[in-house]
Every structure is written in structure tokens, then in C-alpha cells.
Amino acid sequence: QVQLRESGGRSVQAGDSLRLSCTASGLSSRSNAMGWFRQAPGKDREFVAAITWDGDSTYSADSMKGRFTVSKDNAKNTMYLKMNNLKAEDTAVYYCAAQHYWSRIYHTPAEYYYWGQGTQVTVSS
């Protein structure tokens, strides 16, 4: 059974940095990507960043390039999201996701099959 679990969400001040973690179990394909999405109250779930199975390639939303960095440690079965210079608009529940089958589309929730429960990030200004 595939399970994803996010951790690291907390309340921080604007300008602070934070690192989220996602531990995965049960994933067997090395061709599937993993990604981060976020959802604020009353908003649609939006793409944050994604990474290929071996970490060879990364992708990020245009609005977060230069601030957010996704990485992966396969030895620990963990994906990370390093967030720098956090802003109030970054406040959201952040979700970890994994694809079931390989897809070259990484930026839409529909391309991901497995999801964690989310971790809350609150940024005060």
C-alpha cells in the first residue's frame, strides 16, 4: 500500500524559511514523479514543485522559482520542499503527491494518484 506523509508545516513570519518533508512508502516505480501542491481556503489546489524519481530534473511554478526548491533523498524515501523568503500568500495546506504512471505533465493535480493528508503552513506578515 502506498502511503505519503507530510511534515514540517508550522506558523512562521514573513521572510522566514521552512523545509517540508514527505516520507513515502510502497512506491516501486522509478519513472514516476513526485510533487508538491498547496491549497488555501477558498482556492483551488495549485502546483508548487515536482521532481523526477531519481531527482535528475525539477520543476516549479513560475511564481515560486528562486524561492522554493524541491529535492529528494531516495535512501530515506523522502522528498523535501525548501521554502525561502516566505510571504503571507504562501499560507496554505501543502500536499505531497506521487504519480501512479509516468507523465510528462507535472503541474496539474489530475496527473497525480497518491496524496498525503497535507501539512499547514501559516505565514504572518
Side-chain angles (χ1 to χ4, degrees):
Q1 181 178 352
V2 174
Q3 291 185 330
L4 304 177
R5 185 182 297 274
E6 306 92 339
S7 63
R10 66 194 71 180
S11 296
V12 298
Q13 294 180 323
D16 286 352
S17 297
L18 192 63
R19 188 178 76 164
L20 306 181
S21 299
C22 171
T23 57
S25 63
L27 294 175
S28 60
S29 176
R30 299 181 65 83
S31 63
N32 296 342
M34 296 183 68
W36 289 98
F37 292 80
R38 69 185 186 185
Q39 188 165 25
K43 301 289 186 179
D44 292 332
R45 190 165 299 187
E46 67 172 335
F47 173 70
V48 175
I51 188 169
T52 55
W53 186 263
D54 290 333
D56 295 326
S57 300
T58 60
Y59 311 86
S60 62
D62 291 339
S63 62
M64 289 164 251
K65 289 181 180 178
R67 292 197 302 122
F68 290 7
T69 302
V70 62
S71 61
K72 197 168 186 283
D73 186 343
N74 283 343
K76 298 181 178 180
N77 299 118
T78 302
M79 177 179 65
Y80 304 97
L81 181 67
K82 183 64 167 63
M83 303 182 290
N84 294 324
N85 191 26
L86 284 163
K87 304 175 181 180
E89 54 263 40
D90 294 320
T91 295
V93 176
Y94 284 72
Y95 295 91
C96 171
Q99 295 178 333
H100 190 188
Y101 300 107
W102 178 87
S103 173
R104 64 183 65 195
I105 302 174
Y106 302 110
H107 60 281
T108 61
E111 297 298 319
Y112 294 81
Y113 187 80
Y114 305 105
W115 294 85
Q117 295 299 308
T119 184
Q120 177 71 48
V121 173
T122 302
V123 184
S124 60
S125 59

PDB file of all heavy atoms in Angstrom, residues 24-39:
ATOM      1  N   ALA A  24       7.645   8.585   1.942  1.00  0.00           N
ATOM      2  CA  ALA A  24       6.840   7.736   1.080  1.00  0.00           C
ATOM      3  C   ALA A  24       7.146   6.272   1.342  1.00  0.00           C
ATOM      4  O   ALA A  24       8.286   5.892   1.612  1.00  0.00           O
ATOM      5  CB  ALA A  24       7.100   8.064  -0.391  1.00  0.00           C
ATOM      6  N   SER A  25       6.127   5.468   1.247  1.00  0.00           N
ATOM      7  CA  SER A  25       6.288   4.031   1.365  1.00  0.00           C
ATOM      8  C   SER A  25       5.420   3.349   0.322  1.00  0.00           C
ATOM      9  O   SER A  25       4.347   3.847  -0.028  1.00  0.00           O
ATOM     10  CB  SER A  25       5.911   3.538   2.769  1.00  0.00           C
ATOM     11  OG  SER A  25       4.549   3.789   3.052  1.00  0.00           O
ATOM     12  N   GLY A  26       5.891   2.239  -0.187  1.00  0.00           N
ATOM     13  CA  GLY A  26       5.122   1.463  -1.141  1.00  0.00           C
ATOM     14  C   GLY A  26       5.299   1.848  -2.593  1.00  0.00           C
ATOM     15  O   GLY A  26       4.722   1.199  -3.472  1.00  0.00           O
ATOM     16  N   LEU A  27       6.081   2.886  -2.886  1.00  0.00           N
ATOM     17  CA  LEU A  27       6.333   3.285  -4.267  1.00  0.00           C
ATOM     18  C   LEU A  27       7.423   2.404  -4.857  1.00  0.00           C
ATOM     19  O   LEU A  27       8.488   2.241  -4.264  1.00  0.00           O
ATOM     20  CB  LEU A  27       6.740   4.749  -4.342  1.00  0.00           C
ATOM     21  CG  LEU A  27       5.675   5.774  -3.958  1.00  0.00           C
ATOM     22  CD1 LEU A  27       6.275   7.175  -3.953  1.00  0.00           C
ATOM     23  CD2 LEU A  27       4.494   5.713  -4.915  1.00  0.00           C
ATOM     24  N   SER A  28       7.149   1.846  -6.028  1.00  0.00           N
ATOM     25  CA  SER A  28       8.088   0.923  -6.646  1.00  0.00           C
ATOM     26  C   SER A  28       8.642   1.388  -7.978  1.00  0.00           C
ATOM     27  O   SER A  28       9.720   0.960  -8.381  1.00  0.00           O
ATOM     28  CB  SER A  28       7.428  -0.448  -6.838  1.00  0.00           C
ATOM     29  OG  SER A  28       6.283  -0.353  -7.659  1.00  0.00           O
ATOM     30  N   SER A  29       7.934   2.245  -8.674  1.00  0.00           N
ATOM     31  CA  SER A  29       8.366   2.709  -9.981  1.00  0.00           C
ATOM     32  C   SER A  29       9.372   3.843  -9.857  1.00  0.00           C
ATOM     33  O   SER A  29       9.158   4.789  -9.090  1.00  0.00           O
ATOM     34  CB  SER A  29       7.173   3.171 -10.814  1.00  0.00           C
ATOM     35  OG  SER A  29       7.599   3.708 -12.052  1.00  0.00           O
ATOM     36  N   ARG A  30      10.441   3.738 -10.629  1.00  0.00           N
ATOM     37  CA  ARG A  30      11.456   4.784 -10.633  1.00  0.00           C
ATOM     38  C   ARG A  30      11.221   5.803 -11.727  1.00  0.00           C
ATOM     39  O   ARG A  30      12.017   6.734 -11.893  1.00  0.00           O
ATOM     40  CB  ARG A  30      12.844   4.166 -10.783  1.00  0.00           C
ATOM     41  CG  ARG A  30      13.221   3.220  -9.651  1.00  0.00           C
ATOM     42  CD  ARG A  30      14.615   2.662  -9.847  1.00  0.00           C
ATOM     43  NE  ARG A  30      15.637   3.690  -9.782  1.00  0.00           N
ATOM     44  CZ  ARG A  30      16.160   4.169  -8.654  1.00  0.00           C
ATOM     45  NH1 ARG A  30      15.762   3.687  -7.490  1.00  0.00           N
ATOM     46  NH2 ARG A  30      17.087   5.107  -8.696  1.00  0.00           N
ATOM     47  N   SER A  31      10.142   5.628 -12.459  1.00  0.00           N
ATOM     48  CA  SER A  31       9.823   6.548 -13.543  1.00  0.00           C
ATOM     49  C   SER A  31       8.773   7.583 -13.165  1.00  0.00           C
ATOM     50  O   SER A  31       8.514   8.512 -13.929  1.00  0.00           O
ATOM     51  CB  SER A  31       9.335   5.776 -14.775  1.00  0.00           C
ATOM     52  OG  SER A  31       8.138   5.071 -14.495  1.00  0.00           O
ATOM     53  N   ASN A  32       8.188   7.434 -11.989  1.00  0.00           N
ATOM     54  CA  ASN A  32       7.130   8.338 -11.570  1.00  0.00           C
ATOM     55  C   ASN A  32       7.689   9.549 -10.841  1.00  0.00           C
ATOM     56  O   ASN A  32       8.639   9.439 -10.070  1.00  0.00           O
ATOM     57  CB  ASN A  32       6.137   7.618 -10.661  1.00  0.00           C
ATOM     58  CG  ASN A  32       5.416   6.497 -11.374  1.00  0.00           C
ATOM     59  OD1 ASN A  32       5.380   6.440 -12.599  1.00  0.00           O
ATOM     60  ND2 ASN A  32       4.834   5.594 -10.601  1.00  0.00           N
ATOM     61  N   ALA A  33       7.060  10.671 -11.079  1.00  0.00           N
ATOM     62  CA  ALA A  33       7.460  11.901 -10.421  1.00  0.00           C
ATOM     63  C   ALA A  33       6.702  12.081  -9.105  1.00  0.00           C
ATOM     64  O   ALA A  33       5.651  11.490  -8.876  1.00  0.00           O
ATOM     65  CB  ALA A  33       7.201  13.097 -11.324  1.00  0.00           C
ATOM     66  N   MET A  34       7.261  12.907  -8.261  1.00  0.00           N
ATOM     67  CA  MET A  34       6.584  13.318  -7.044  1.00  0.00           C
ATOM     68  C   MET A  34       6.489  14.830  -7.062  1.00  0.00           C
ATOM     69  O   MET A  34       7.313  15.502  -7.679  1.00  0.00           O
ATOM     70  CB  MET A  34       7.327  12.848  -5.802  1.00  0.00           C
ATOM     71  CG  MET A  34       7.402  11.339  -5.660  1.00  0.00           C
ATOM     72  SD  MET A  34       8.228  10.806  -4.139  1.00  0.00           S
ATOM     73  CE  MET A  34       7.031  11.356  -2.910  1.00  0.00           C
ATOM     74  N   GLY A  35       5.483  15.348  -6.380  1.00  0.00           N
ATOM     75  CA  GLY A  35       5.287  16.776  -6.423  1.00  0.00           C
ATOM     76  C   GLY A  35       4.691  17.342  -5.160  1.00  0.00           C
ATOM     77  O   GLY A  35       4.216  16.619  -4.280  1.00  0.00           O
ATOM     78  N   TRP A  36       4.756  18.661  -5.087  1.00  0.00           N
ATOM     79  CA  TRP A  36       4.149  19.417  -4.009  1.00  0.00           C
ATOM     80  C   TRP A  36       3.050  20.306  -4.581  1.00  0.00           C
ATOM     81  O   TRP A  36       3.241  20.959  -5.615  1.00  0.00           O
ATOM     82  CB  TRP A  36       5.169  20.302  -3.303  1.00  0.00           C
ATOM     83  CG  TRP A  36       6.172  19.566  -2.468  1.00  0.00           C
ATOM     84  CD1 TRP A  36       7.434  19.213  -2.818  1.00  0.00           C
ATOM     85  CD2 TRP A  36       5.981  19.109  -1.125  1.00  0.00           C
ATOM     86  NE1 TRP A  36       8.055  18.566  -1.782  1.00  0.00           N
ATOM     87  CE2 TRP A  36       7.186  18.483  -0.730  1.00  0.00           C
ATOM     88  CE3 TRP A  36       4.928  19.163  -0.220  1.00  0.00           C
ATOM     89  CZ2 TRP A  36       7.363  17.919   0.537  1.00  0.00           C
ATOM     90  CZ3 TRP A  36       5.092  18.598   1.029  1.00  0.00           C
ATOM     91  CH2 TRP A  36       6.293  17.992   1.400  1.00  0.00           C
ATOM     92  N   PHE A  37       1.928  20.312  -3.913  1.00  0.00           N
ATOM     93  CA  PHE A  37       0.823  21.199  -4.235  1.00  0.00           C
ATOM     94  C   PHE A  37       0.392  21.909  -2.959  1.00  0.00           C
ATOM     95  O   PHE A  37       0.705  21.477  -1.857  1.00  0.00           O
ATOM     96  CB  PHE A  37      -0.347  20.422  -4.829  1.00  0.00           C
ATOM     97  CG  PHE A  37      -0.068  19.844  -6.190  1.00  0.00           C
ATOM     98  CD1 PHE A  37       0.652  18.674  -6.337  1.00  0.00           C
ATOM     99  CD2 PHE A  37      -0.528  20.482  -7.333  1.00  0.00           C
ATOM    100  CE1 PHE A  37       0.920  18.137  -7.584  1.00  0.00           C
ATOM    101  CE2 PHE A  37      -0.276  19.962  -8.592  1.00  0.00           C
ATOM    102  CZ  PHE A  37       0.449  18.793  -8.719  1.00  0.00           C
ATOM    103  N   ARG A  38      -0.334  22.979  -3.126  1.00  0.00           N
ATOM    104  CA  ARG A  38      -0.845  23.682  -1.956  1.00  0.00           C
ATOM    105  C   ARG A  38      -2.261  24.167  -2.227  1.00  0.00           C
ATOM    106  O   ARG A  38      -2.657  24.372  -3.367  1.00  0.00           O
ATOM    107  CB  ARG A  38       0.059  24.861  -1.569  1.00  0.00           C
ATOM    108  CG  ARG A  38       0.046  26.021  -2.549  1.00  0.00           C
ATOM    109  CD  ARG A  38       1.053  27.076  -2.139  1.00  0.00           C
ATOM    110  NE  ARG A  38       0.976  28.266  -2.971  1.00  0.00           N
ATOM    111  CZ  ARG A  38       1.808  29.292  -2.885  1.00  0.00           C
ATOM    112  NH1 ARG A  38       2.790  29.278  -1.986  1.00  0.00           N
ATOM    113  NH2 ARG A  38       1.658  30.339  -3.691  1.00  0.00           N
ATOM    114  N   GLN A  39      -2.998  24.351  -1.152  1.00  0.00           N
ATOM    115  CA  GLN A  39      -4.367  24.809  -1.272  1.00  0.00           C
ATOM    116  C   GLN A  39      -4.710  25.726  -0.108  1.00  0.00           C
ATOM    117  O   GLN A  39      -4.622  25.334   1.049  1.00  0.00           O
ATOM    118  CB  GLN A  39      -5.336  23.627  -1.311  1.00  0.00           C
ATOM    119  CG  GLN A  39      -6.768  24.007  -1.624  1.00  0.00           C
ATOM    120  CD  GLN A  39      -7.614  22.807  -1.998  1.00  0.00           C
ATOM    121  OE1 GLN A  39      -7.323  21.681  -1.609  1.00  0.00           O
ATOM    122  NE2 GLN A  39      -8.660  23.044  -2.769  1.00  0.00           N
TER     123      GLN A  39
END
